[in-house]
Amino acid sequence: MLTGRETADHIAADMPSPRSEGSPSGPWRPVKVGDLVEVVSMEGNPDLIRKRASWLVGRTARVVFTPARSPLVDVELQEHPLAKGRRRLWKLHAAGLKVLPAPGEEQSGRSPQRRPVRAGDRAAIIQLLHSHSRARAHGQWLIGQWGTILRRLRYGYVLVELDETSKYLGGARRWHLHLGDLLVEAVEPPADEQDGLYGVGLSLSDREIVRHALPPQQTAGLCGARVRPMRIDEWSPPFLPTLDNVCPVCVDLIRNGRTGGW
C-alpha cells in the first residue's frame, strides 16, 4: 500500500508538465467544473479506455467533477443524440483535454473567467459525494434534479430550491447542497428594462407548477391567474417562453403584444 507521500508523488508523476511537448493547447492548466473541453487524446487514461473509447477523441464535453487528488476528471459529452449503447458520462485524464474558450474570448486569448455562483443561478444535481448525509440518503431521487440557487452558505454549501419534488423526498423542495455536487449554469439579470419587462410567477395546476409572466408590482399573471411571485432577494428571473411548464396563455399574450390581463 502506498503511503500518503508516495500517493502524492504517484499522482504528480501522472500529471503533464506545464509545457509538455506537443501539447495542443499550449501551457496546460487544470480544468475546472463547468469548463467546456475537447477530448484531444487518450493520454494518461487506463488501457481499457484507450482501447475501447478512442472514438471520444474530437468530442466536446463539459467538466462536471474534478477530484482534489487525482488527474482523472468526470466529463459529460455534449453531443446529441449519442449513438446507441454509448454512455454520456466518462472519467478521463485531464492531460487529454483541451479547454475551449467561451464565446467572445477566442480573439482576446484569455482563459475563460467565471464569476462566483450567486442567487438566481440554475443548478443540476450531478452527484452527492460532498453534501451532508441526509442529502446522500436521498441520492437516487435527488441526482438529476434541477433547481434554483437561493443563496450561498458557508463551507461551500448553497441553498437550492428544486423545480420538482416527490413523495420520496417528503415534499421537501429546499436542500442544502455542496457546490462540488452541482453543475451550475449562470443566469444573468436582464441587460435592460425591456428584457426584464415580466418576471416569473408560479401557480399549481393538477399538482404541477406552472410559470406565468408576471408584470412588475403585480400579484396576478399576465393571463389573470393568481400567482406566487418568484423572487430571489430583490431580483426576479425574467419570464422566457422557452422555460419548462410555461403558461401558454401568457406566451400568446406576449407574442401578440398585449400587456394586460383579460
Side-chain angles (χ1 to χ4, degrees):
M1 177 178 291
L2 297 176
T3 65
R5 178 59 184 174
E6 289 171 335
T7 301
D9 292 342
H10 176 72
I11 292 172
D14 281 343
M15 299 300 285
S17 60
R19 294 180 181 272
S20 61
E21 185 176 354
S23 172
S25 56
W28 181 85
R29 72 166 177 83
V31 295
K32 300 177 181 178
V33 172
D35 277 344
L36 188 65
V37 297
E38 178 186 355
V39 183
V40 295
S41 77
M42 290 285 102
E43 178 184 352
N45 288 295
D47 290 340
L48 185 62
I49 291 183
R50 288 206 302 267
K51 293 177 180 178
R52 297 187 178 181
S54 58
W55 60 272
L56 288 171
V57 175
R59 310 284 177 169
T60 302
R62 181 79 64 181
V63 177
V64 296
F65 178 64
T66 56
R69 296 177 62 84
S70 172
L72 297 178
V73 301
D74 293 350
V75 300
E76 181 181 17
L77 297 180
Q78 299 297 289
E79 180 182 357
H80 295 282
L82 281 176
K84 185 177 180 180
R86 290 183 173 178
R87 54 193 175 93
R88 189 169 297 280
L89 294 175
W90 289 86
K91 189 180 292 292
L92 300 176
H93 199 290
L97 304 178
K98 174 185 175 182
V99 179
L100 300 177
E105 293 183 333
E106 294 85 349
Q107 297 180 353
S108 67
R110 294 183 290 109
S111 298
Q113 299 294 321
R114 289 175 175 78
R115 63 163 173 75
V117 172
R118 66 187 180 194
D121 285 347
R122 299 282 294 160
I125 305 172
I126 57 176
Q127 61 185 13
L128 286 171
L129 299 178
H130 307 285
S131 298
H132 51 74
S133 58
R134 178 171 176 262
R136 293 199 301 271
H138 294 82
Q140 66 182 105
W141 299 289
L142 285 173
I143 293 176
Q145 292 259 31
W146 278 88
T148 302
I149 294 177
L150 299 185
R151 64 174 178 269
R152 296 194 63 168
L153 307 171
R154 294 184 298 174
Y155 310 120
Y157 277 81
V158 291
L159 179 62
V160 178
E161 183 174 58
L162 302 180
D163 293 344
E164 300 176 357
T165 186
S166 73
K167 62 180 181 180
Y168 302 106
L169 297 175
R173 189 174 295 277
R174 297 185 176 187
W175 292 80
H176 291 173
L177 300 171
H178 196 281
L179 279 172
D181 293 333
L182 306 176
L183 176 61
V184 178
E185 290 188 354
V187 176
E188 301 295 341
D192 53 51
E193 293 183 0
Q194 184 63 32
D195 292 337
L197 181 60
Y198 299 108
V200 175
L202 306 178
S203 70
L204 192 64
S205 176
D206 295 329
R207 297 186 178 180
E208 186 177 71
I209 291 178
V210 179
R211 291 176 168 85
H212 300 265
L214 181 64
Q217 310 301 321
Q218 300 293 320
T219 57
L222 195 59
C223 63
R226 303 292 295 181
V227 299
R228 179 171 66 88
M230 183 177 179
R231 291 197 177 92
I232 301 163
D233 294 331
E234 298 300 321
W235 177 70
S236 175
F239 178 84
L240 300 173
T242 54
L243 293 172
D244 294 333
N245 301 331
V246 295
C247 170
V249 177
C250 289
V251 172
D252 185 63
L253 289 173
I254 291 175
R255 288 175 176 170
N256 290 325
R258 297 176 60 179
T259 57
W262 295 103

